[in-house]
Amino acid sequence: TGCELLVSIDAAAPAQSTGQGTASFGIPLPHVTALIGQVVFLQAWAAAPGANAAGIVLSNGVRWEIGNN
């Protein structure tokens, strides 16, 4: 089966594998109150030779709203 790209590729951030099927990454955010309420959409991908014709797999998409909590 194929994969579905749910976000545009405006920026990329590397992730570090933390175990079988998991990864983590950091996005430094400046302390700027104008960012509060901004929405970012995220999706991860990983190389997976043989999984499909593209050789990659994709995560579910995530909607992230920047808050002050």
Side-chain angles (χ1 to χ4, degrees), residues 7-31:
V7 298
S8 64
I9 306 175
D10 297 324
Q16 179 68 37
S17 176
T18 56
Q20 184 76 15
T22 63
S24 68
F25 70 98
I27 300 176
L29 292 176
H31 188 342

Side-chain angles (χ1 to χ4, degrees), residues 29-38 66-68:
L29 292 176
H31 188 342
V32 177
T33 57
L35 293 175
I36 295 172
Q38 295 297 309
I66 300 172
N68 63 353

